[in-house]
Amino acid sequence: MILIADGGATKTSWCFSGKGDTPGMMSTGGINPYFRTTEDIIQELQKSSFSQLSGKVEQVFFYGSGVVDARKAQVISEALFSFFPTAEIEVQSDLLAAARATLGKKEGITCILGTGSNSCQYDGEKITAHIPPLGFILGDEGSGAGLGKQLVSDYLKKIMPSELLAQFQARYPLEYTEFLNRVYNQGKPNQFLAGFVPFLKENIHKSYCAGLVRRAFESFMTRNVVQYKGHEKQSICFVGSVAFHFQEQLRNVLLERNMVPGVILQEPLLKLMEYHLQLKKYEQYY
């Protein structure tokens, strides 16, 4: 049996499957090595039904945000080893997960557009180039946090059209000081700002919203994708809720720049399972 995880700061989704089985799904709290220790992760997993998989799992592939080096990967691998001591365990970044889910064994460019944004160039096996995303203050162009930041800024400065301004105020009846407090004085301001993206989606037919989204995607391409050598000829794929829900606008920006639109997924987990099952089947012949 193969067990695969897509780990984030607030939620981790798990998928498990054996040969010919229908994949099973479950979820746990977020597992990010920047915020949790090995012991803390073990306690989190003990709350789940992992014990039912004990002795059945041969391979574990954990992909997550915060897995930026071997030290952070070890925080997670040690926790997984305590549950699956005989299994092969691999811990990788969410960016490699996006590449494997969208491109498989092919080369190309893969991007993440969710609460944050990220991108890389992939040769079919490994990441060969990476432009740093820099977070929602210095970067994260095209992300949910970036879109929300621009939307809230336009609302507070009254740049937003009056009709939409009234709608926004009715939907989010927060005072000026509350917005500032949530962004500057409380935790996870990027998630707070990304929470306004549904308003954009519901009003995407209006020129202001369409223009805001379009400019954000153009900025993402300019500051990230075009930095990769040979990007004009490579398939450009995406993973994430923002990419998925605004895929029409995203494809239009790509086509207008003569770029090659590739696969767009909301989540990578099921495609990752396909990737690893096919890889395992292939390896049986050697």
Side-chain angles (χ1 to χ4, degrees), residues 10 30 39 42 51 64 66 103 133 149 169 178 202 226 240 243 270 274:
T10 59
E39 293 72 22
I42 290 173
S51 59
L103 290 164
K149 180 171 69 172
Q169 186 173 32
E178 290 181 83
E202 292 162 15
V226 301
L270 290 177
E274 286 183 23

Side-chain angles (χ1 to χ4, degrees), residues 23-34:
M25 307 288 288
M26 59 183 179
S27 64
T28 64
I31 297 176
N32 185 315
Y34 268 100

Side-chain angles (χ1 to χ4, degrees), residues 2 19 26 37 69 82 86 91 95 98-99 103 153 171 173 192 198 205 233-234 236 239 242 248 283:
I2 295 177
K19 185 177 180 181
M26 59 183 179
T37 64
D69 56 31
S82 70
T86 62
V91 180
L95 197 52
L103 290 164
S153 177
R171 173 107 174 241
F192 169 69
H205 58 285
K233 299 178 181 179
Q234 292 189 314
I236 303 170
V239 168
V242 170
E248 179 181 348
E283 288 172 346

Side-chain angles (χ1 to χ4, degrees), residues 147-155 158-161 164-165 168 199-200 203-215:
L147 291 170
K149 180 171 69 172
Q150 188 64 58
L151 188 67
V152 169
S153 177
D154 285 0
Y155 168 71
K158 301 190 185 306
I159 294 172
M160 186 185 295
L164 283 171
L165 193 144
F168 191 89
F199 183 86
L200 281 172
N203 293 282
I204 194 64
H205 58 285
K206 297 180 180 177
S207 60
Y208 163 81
C209 294
L212 191 155
V213 171
R214 179 190 182 86
R215 288 190 296 274

Side-chain angles (χ1 to χ4, degrees), residues 12-33:
T12 300
S13 299
W14 302 81
C15 182
F16 54 93
S17 181
K19 185 177 180 181
D21 294 340
T22 300
M25 307 288 288
M26 59 183 179
S27 64
T28 64
I31 297 176
N32 185 315

Side-chain angles (χ1 to χ4, degrees), residues 52-244:
Q52 299 176 15
L53 302 177
S54 181
K56 300 177 183 178
V57 175
E58 300 169 298
Q59 294 177 300
V60 181
F61 299 95
F62 186 100
Y63 298 93
S65 55
V67 183
V68 296
D69 56 31
R71 187 169 59 86
K72 293 298 183 185
Q74 188 175 2
V75 170
I76 296 171
S77 62
E78 288 180 356
L80 292 171
F81 181 77
S82 70
F83 283 86
F84 309 107
T86 62
E88 174 190 340
I89 296 172
E90 180 179 325
V91 180
Q92 298 285 359
S93 70
D94 56 350
L95 197 52
L96 184 61
R100 286 176 169 176
T102 56
L103 290 164
K105 302 293 288 183
K106 300 177 182 177
E107 66 174 23
I109 294 169
T110 292
C111 311
I112 295 175
L113 287 180
T115 300
S117 65
N118 209 341
S119 64
C120 71
Q121 198 161 35
Y122 176 72
D123 68 359
E125 292 187 1
K126 62 184 182 298
I127 292 171
T128 56
H130 176 233
I131 304 299
L134 301 182
F136 82 103
I137 294 177
L138 296 177
D140 271 0
E141 300 86 3
S143 69
L147 291 170
K149 180 171 69 172
Q150 188 64 58
L151 188 67
V152 169
S153 177
D154 285 0
Y155 168 71
L156 294 175
K157 290 178 181 289
K158 301 190 185 306
I159 294 172
M160 186 185 295
S162 57
E163 178 190 355
L164 283 171
L165 193 144
Q167 283 183 240
F168 191 89
Q169 186 173 32
R171 173 107 174 241
Y172 308 104
L174 301 175
E175 297 292 333
Y176 170 80
T177 53
E178 290 181 83
F179 279 106
L180 297 187
N181 184 50
R182 288 296 304 272
V183 172
Y184 293 110
N185 297 323
Q186 295 189 26
K188 301 179 180 179
N190 57 333
Q191 292 183 22
F192 169 69
L193 292 169
F196 297 101
V197 171
F199 183 86
L200 281 172
K201 176 62 177 175
E202 292 162 15
N203 293 282
I204 194 64
H205 58 285
K206 297 180 180 177
S207 60
Y208 163 81
C209 294
L212 191 155
V213 171
R214 179 190 182 86
R215 288 190 296 274
F217 288 163
E218 288 175 340
S219 178
F220 177 79
M221 300 304 166
T222 299
R223 296 176 61 81
N224 298 277
V225 177
V226 301
Q227 308 292 340
Y228 296 114
K229 185 177 180 180
H231 70 273
E232 307 93 337
K233 299 178 181 179
Q234 292 189 314
S235 178
I236 303 170
C237 301
F238 294 85
V239 168
S241 56
V242 170
F244 182 80

